[in-house]
């Protein structure tokens, strides 16, 4: 099990600031969190090296790029052996439209968050990933009609 690194107040201020705007320059970030630029640079490097900061990305508005349909999909497998679960995870991880994949308990084996252009695109994805997969027993999909909140920030 991973040991969580101890985060002090400076680390927490850095993480909170970067979660709001990862495009800040080091000088801007240092000023915002009230430390020197060299200290800030060193702290951010430590947070990256320790894996606290996994990666930095741009968050794209789905409607602006034509992927307007969000599906939350529950998957139940026929066989839940560890190797079959891992095989299914690898299968869906290779699909770009699958944004998130969670093993869950109790209930279904997996919950996926899928982003596609429209219902025909979802149907094609469902056939490709689920109906043609021999170990998928049940699929239950929910389609978002309105997203009232979307947040990537983790409170630290």
């Amino acid at each position: 099990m991973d040991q969580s690194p101890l985060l002090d107040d400076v680390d927490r201020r850095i993480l909170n600031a970067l979660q709001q705007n990862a495009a800040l320059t080091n000088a801007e970030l240092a000023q915002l969190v009230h430390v020197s630029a060299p200290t800030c640079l060193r702290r951010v490097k430590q947070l990256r090296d320790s894996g606290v900061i996994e990666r930095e990305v741009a968050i794209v508005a789905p409607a602006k790029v034509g992927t307007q349909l969000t599906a939350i999909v529950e998957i139940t497998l026929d066989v839940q052996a560890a190797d079959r679960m891992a095989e299914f995870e690898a299968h869906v991880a290779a699909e770009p439209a699958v944004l998130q994949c969670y093993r869950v308990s109790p209930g279904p084996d997996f919950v996926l968050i899928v982003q596609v252009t429209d219902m025909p695109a979802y149907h094609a994805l469902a056939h490709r990933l689920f109906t043609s997969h021999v170990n998928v027993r049940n699929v239950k999909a929910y389609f978002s009609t309105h997203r009232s909140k979307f947040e990537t920030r983790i409170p630290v």
Side-chain angles (χ1 to χ4, degrees), residues 72-75 122 138-142:
I72 298 96
V73 185
E74 295 179 354
I75 304 293
Y122 174 78
N138 190 41
V139 177
K140 189 172 186 179
Y142 304 89

Side-chain angles (χ1 to χ4, degrees), residues 1 18 50 86 94 96 120 124:
M1 184 177 275
L18 287 176
S50 68

Side-chain angles (χ1 to χ4, degrees), residues 51-100:
V52 173
I53 296 175
E54 288 184 18
R55 59 189 166 144
E56 297 172 45
V57 299
I59 298 174
V60 176
K64 301 285 184 177
V65 295
T67 58
Q68 298 179 37
L69 183 63
T70 304
I72 298 96
V73 185
E74 295 179 354
I75 304 293
T76 303
L77 300 182
D78 204 27
V79 178
Q80 288 88 13
D83 61 329
R84 301 298 296 273
M85 300 279 271
E87 183 269 330
F88 181 78
E89 280 178 325
H91 177 65
V92 297
E95 173 61 50
V98 175
L99 302 182
Q100 299 173 45

